[in-house]
Amino acid sequence: MNNIRKSIFICTLLAISALANAQNGVNSPYSRYGLGLLSDRAMGFNKAMGGVALGFRDGQEINTANPASYSATDSLTALFDLGLTLQNGNFKMGSLTQNARNSSFDYFAYAFRATKGLGITLSLQPFSKINYEFASEKRTIENNTSITDSYTYTGTGALRQIMLGAGWQIFRPFSIGINVGYMWGEYEHNMTNSTSSSTAYSMRRTYSATLSTYTLDAGVQYTIDLPKNNRLTIGATYSFGHDMWGDAVRKTATVSSTMEASTEVILEDAFQLPHSFGLGVTFYSNNKLRAGIDATWERWSKVHFPTSQNYEDKEGASEWTPHTGILNDRLKFSGGVEFTPDYESSSFLKRSRYKLGGYFSRSYANANETPSVSLKKPVEFGISGGVTIPIRNRNLFYSAPKLNITLSWVHTNIPYYSNQNSRSETLRENYLRLSVGLTLSERWFYKWKVQ
């Protein structure tokens, strides 16, 4: 019966995560660029701390941001972690404003300790998301005031990744880890130019791709013991950049009352993932205070990427091929603090963990479709706060499950050049997010003794 209960428990969580994975969770014009809006890879325990994680290691938490942390997994328990987010977005582009509500699947993870000093983790997470729909105002065609045209833009898609990771504590202060994963997904961007006259040309252009690739992340952690039961953990990570498997397809259809024509261009192996680096430091004090800072750098400017922009070669002919420099290097700083009044107290409020954090990031996707115009780089920043609530289990031999609740506010500021108005404008996005994560700790590996 016990094994049946465990099997049902695992299958239920996997089913929930698979169903939730189908929900996109965004509705942003900015997801039109690059591979879409990148997910933060934060788990329930650190979402309220700005996503800081590279120096975090705790036997009752699954930290996929640094696989070296898996070596701290408790030897008696199997950990399950599942997270969801509800958000309200507000978008402003010139005189246009829009609100949208979404829900999304954040992650599912399972971890256990295989042997002394070796932890194993399996996780499923979104990598990026695409979802938008907007239209331009109608305008008169040059030299013909009786005909108007307008543009409509739509896009959908997502990239997801499943990872198997291992973390090994080589000796007391030093641990290493690795995540090996598989990423897959698809996207489709549509642009339709419609005219008010059946004799004038209308155009529909579609950019699409079906992508897949492997992923490889490595991490290290080093812990320094300090006086008065304090310690410092330094963490570093590296993600291997490489080509992705998949072709970029551009289809163009031109239609009028007298003719219809279509073309298709296929670019083979037109995508890459960037080399990424991370460094973080976390300070622990007496099981009461935890504070950390992280810095990550993703070299998106060095990857080649297909673009809807028209570039000219040396002979002056336009082309549509993969280029480097289409995207921006992403630099992100995050920090957070957590305080627990008394984790052994019988008081519910004193056992809870209170968190606060924030981050600042230079976004990777470039919204400037006019390379000859110089614009500032897009930026993103956010603040967050939350609480981890321990839920006491009736069976005192089981570790307490935890409910992680996070409230965050995120702002993005995206300069772009409007070809319609021939001037620089800004897309501003504000998100209010409520994230809920549930961490379950099942003591499967406890050996009972009867005297």
Side-chain angles (χ1 to χ4, degrees), residues 386-441:
V387 60
T388 295
I389 303 171
I391 305 172
R392 185 175 296 278
N393 199 310
R394 292 181 179 179
N395 189 336
L396 298 181
F397 290 99
Y398 280 56
S399 299
K402 300 175 182 65
L403 183 65
N404 300 288
I405 301 174
T406 298
L407 186 64
S408 59
W409 173 77
V410 175
H411 173 80
T412 58
N413 196 57
I414 306 154
Y416 69 97
Y417 184 80
S418 173
N419 291 315
Q420 295 182 13
N421 300 325
S422 299
R423 66 170 183 263
S424 298
E425 296 188 356
T426 302
L427 167 63
R428 293 181 175 86
E429 301 181 343
N430 292 285
Y431 297 97
L432 184 63
R433 294 171 177 159
L434 175 64
S435 301
V436 179
L438 180 62
T439 303
L440 300 178
S441 179

Side-chain angles (χ1 to χ4, degrees), residues 141-172:
I141 297 178
E142 186 177 357
N143 300 325
N144 194 335
T145 58
S146 63
I147 302 177
T148 62
D149 72 344
S150 63
Y151 289 84
T152 301
Y153 303 89
T154 61
T156 58
L159 286 176
R160 315 158 191 90
Q161 57 181 343
I162 185 169
M163 297 185 298
L164 178 64
W168 178 36
Q169 188 177 60
I170 299 178
F171 50 88
R172 168 64 177 83

Side-chain angles (χ1 to χ4, degrees), residues 235-410:
T237 57
Y238 167 70
S239 296
F240 179 62
H242 54 83
D243 292 338
M244 302 179 72
W245 308 317
D247 301 334
V249 181
R250 184 184 71 176
K251 297 179 180 180
T252 305
T254 305
V255 180
S256 72
S257 59
T258 58
M259 67 165 292
E260 181 176 341
S262 63
T263 60
E264 180 178 282
V265 180
I266 299 176
L267 304 179
E268 297 182 354
D269 301 324
F271 303 87
Q272 290 180 322
L273 287 177
H275 295 280
S276 303
F277 309 87
L279 181 64
V281 179
T282 301
F283 173 74
Y284 299 82
S285 179
N286 287 315
N287 293 316
K288 287 190 174 183
L289 179 68
R290 177 167 63 171
I293 55 173
D294 284 354
T296 56
W297 180 38
E298 301 173 2
R299 302 199 66 186
W300 287 97
S301 67
K302 300 301 181 180
V303 307
H304 58 66
F305 192 85
T307 176
S308 60
Q309 304 169 20
N310 285 323
Y311 286 78
E312 292 186 352
D313 59 22
K314 295 180 181 179
E315 287 72 32
S318 63
E319 59 176 351
W320 187 67
T321 60
H323 291 269
T324 59
I326 300 301
L327 305 174
N328 303 316
D329 285 344
R330 184 175 186 244
L331 185 60
K332 180 181 179 181
F333 298 97
S334 55
V337 62
E338 173 189 271
F339 178 71
T340 307
D342 186 354
Y343 78 101
E344 292 183 335
S345 174
S346 59
S347 169
F348 170 78
L349 295 177
K350 290 183 179 180
R351 286 187 292 115
S352 297
R353 299 179 179 182
Y354 303 93
K355 309 164 189 274
L356 187 65
Y359 73 91
F360 174 85
S361 171
R362 292 282 187 184
S363 298
Y364 85 110
N366 187 1
N368 183 12
E369 297 185 0
T370 308
S372 60
V373 178
S374 178
L375 297 176
K376 294 182 179 180
K377 299 293 194 291
V379 297
E380 176 183 327
F381 57 87
I383 56 174
S384 55
V387 60
T388 295
I389 303 171
I391 305 172
R392 185 175 296 278
N393 199 310
R394 292 181 179 179
N395 189 336
L396 298 181
F397 290 99
Y398 280 56
S399 299
K402 300 175 182 65
L403 183 65
N404 300 288
I405 301 174
T406 298
L407 186 64
S408 59
W409 173 77
V410 175

Side-chain angles (χ1 to χ4, degrees), residues 32 134-142 147-154 189-207 251-257 261 420:
R32 177 185 174 205
F134 63 95
S136 68
E137 296 179 352
K138 292 183 178 181
R139 63 175 185 175
T140 57
I141 297 178
E142 186 177 357
I147 302 177
T148 62
D149 72 344
S150 63
Y151 289 84
T152 301
Y153 303 89
T154 61
H189 301 284
N190 297 296
M191 186 274 290
T192 303
N193 174 221
S194 302
T195 61
S196 60
S197 173
S198 60
T199 58
Y201 291 109
S202 296
M203 183 185 70
R204 177 183 174 88
R205 178 166 286 173
T206 299
Y207 301 90
K251 297 179 180 180
T252 305
T254 305
V255 180
S256 72
S257 59
Q420 295 182 13

